[in-house]
Amino acid sequence: MSVTMDTSFSHFTRTAERAANQVIAAYSTSFGLACKLLGPRHRQHVRNIYALVRVADELVDGVTAEAGLSYQEQCDALSHFIDETHRAVKLGYSSDLIIHSFAQTARAARIDDSLIDPFFESMRTDLGGRISAPAAPLRFDADAHQGYVHGSAEVVGLMCLRVFMRDENIDDGDAAALQHGASRLGAAFQNINFLRDLADDTTRLGRSYLGTSEHLEDRDRMEWVRTIRAQLADANAVIPLLPRDARAAVRSALSLFTALTDKIEQTTVDELYRSRVRVPDAVKAGLAARAVASTWMEMHR
């Protein structure tokens, strides 16, 4: 019988992973539920990605400002976080637990600067538009919106895809289809959250991600709903190309955001500016169960 000796590094890495798991538990019941449906070989890696993204997002969305940092100090904090992430991915270690956990995933799944840099560029954009910044509030035209969504969401979908496909052999056509689907799913998630967060983004953060006007109209809401539904459809079409142990989780997340889109379609813009639409936990659980059942039937036809 062989005995695997624990090391200081492996103990530290497991501790970092537990920290990443706590970030998900604290910030997203929906994402946490979807992660539980992933196969064991994917689950921790995706949690590690989420934790880094969430911490960076919190940094630019007010935590540093509420801690009393000046605008320049907030910029410096983000720059330090970015530099430490790059250093950790290169070396395989960081004293920052969340960055350390992400670095292990990045090295295992070959997540490189082509995905990391656009994400942080979008975070820099957010910080430049904070209400405490000297710049005017951010209002995104179509090109700025696309660039921001690519960095803040599409690349995160592509990071997860690299985790899912790291042990798979697929042809170039399927790889391209999966990359398109992952990007579209990330974009859909982000656009849905823009609509859900209209009140907070415009009032507290001084940002308008969905256009240059000060106030969206209901016709704008419906146009975004149509765009989101097309993005979700493209993502749904490639789920059968994913490894079996990733399909139920992705299908569950897609189903949840489809349900959110349905609620947004039934909610006026004025109501969206007042409150955030949600899906009850019981409904989330039902969607997850149906995603598991659908995936099981798909694999046993």
Side-chain angles (χ1 to χ4, degrees), residues 159-210:
M159 288 179 190
C160 293
L161 181 64
R162 290 200 185 181
V163 167
F164 300 152
M165 307 307 294
R166 67 193 186 281
D167 298 323
E168 306 295 321
N169 293 313
I170 57 172
D171 61 40
D172 291 345
D174 285 349
L178 281 165
Q179 289 169 14
H180 177 70
S183 295
R184 296 283 278 176
L185 188 59
F189 288 0
Q190 187 66 292
N191 287 325
I192 290 165
N193 281 329
F194 287 155
L195 288 165
R196 297 176 73 200
D197 293 335
L198 277 176
D200 190 51
D201 285 343
T202 57
T203 303
R204 183 174 68 89
L205 298 175
R207 303 172 189 161
S208 178
Y209 293 107
L210 298 178

Side-chain angles (χ1 to χ4, degrees), residues 44-60:
Q44 189 61 57
H45 285 307
V46 173
R47 287 170 173 166
N48 293 345
I49 292 170
Y50 176 88
L52 181 99
V53 168
R54 172 54 64 181
V55 170
D57 196 51
E58 290 300 308
L59 189 159
V60 301

Side-chain angles (χ1 to χ4, degrees), residues 277-291:
V277 299
R278 299 181 182 277
V279 171
D281 288 345
V283 175
K284 293 178 187 177
L287 293 171
R290 284 194 285 276

